[in-house]
Amino acid sequence: QVQLVESGGGLVQAGESLRPSCTASGRPFNDYALAWFRQAPGEEREAVAGISRNGETSRYSYSVQGRFTISRDNARNTVWLQMNSLKPEDTAVYYCAAVRTIMPPIIQDNYDYWGQGTQVTVSP
C-alpha cells in the first residue's frame, strides 16, 4: 500500500504561482511513476503532468506545457507541481497518483493509489 497526501494548494490571482506537493508513505517511493491530475467542477478528471520513477522523464498536457513543472525527490518521498502563470481555467482540485511502473500512464484508470486532493483556485 502507498498513502499519498497532497498539500500546498490555495487561492491566488491570475499570473501568480503555486507549488503543491505530495508526500508518500508505504512502499519504496522510487518503485512508482507519479502523476498529477485535476478535476474542475462539472468536468472530468484530466491528466496534468507525469514523471517517471527515476525522475528523468516527464510529460505534460498541452494546456499546461511550458507553465507547469513536475519534479520529485525520491529521498524525501515527495513530488511537486510547480505551477507558474496560473490562469482562472487552472482552478480545480489537484490530485497526485502513483502506479508501480517505470513511465507515467496518461489514463487515470491505470493508477493504483490516489491522494485526497488539494484545491487550487485562481481568481481573474
Side-chain angles (χ1 to χ4, degrees):
Q1 288 288 333
V2 173
Q3 293 78 43
L4 302 171
V5 179
E6 301 98 334
S7 62
L11 171 63
V12 296
Q13 293 186 326
E16 295 183 338
S17 299
L18 276 175
R19 192 188 187 211
S21 62
C22 173
T23 301
S25 60
R27 293 186 178 273
F29 190 67
N30 58 7
D31 282 353
Y32 292 82
L34 302 167
W36 287 93
F37 288 76
R38 68 185 181 186
Q39 188 168 21
E43 302 288 334
E44 297 285 327
R45 189 157 55 185
E46 63 173 352
V48 174
I51 189 165
S52 60
R53 67 182 186 187
N54 65 3
E56 292 184 0
T57 303
S58 56
R59 296 170 173 169
Y60 300 92
S61 69
Y62 178 78
S63 61
V64 307
Q65 181 81 41
R67 299 188 297 122
F68 290 12
T69 303
I70 188 171
S71 61
R72 66 187 292 167
D73 184 337
N74 286 343
R76 297 170 63 183
N77 287 5
T78 301
V79 59
W80 296 270
L81 185 67
Q82 178 67 47
M83 306 190 294
N84 297 331
S85 303
L86 282 161
K87 305 175 182 180
E89 51 264 44
D90 294 318
T91 295
V93 177
Y94 283 70
Y95 299 90
C96 116
V99 59
R100 195 176 183 186
T101 189
I102 298 173
M103 295 297 294
I106 297 174
I107 301 173
Q108 61 178 315
D109 290 347
N110 291 335
Y111 287 84
D112 297 317
Y113 303 102
W114 293 84
Q116 83 289 349
T118 186
Q119 176 71 46
V120 171
T121 304
V122 184
S123 63

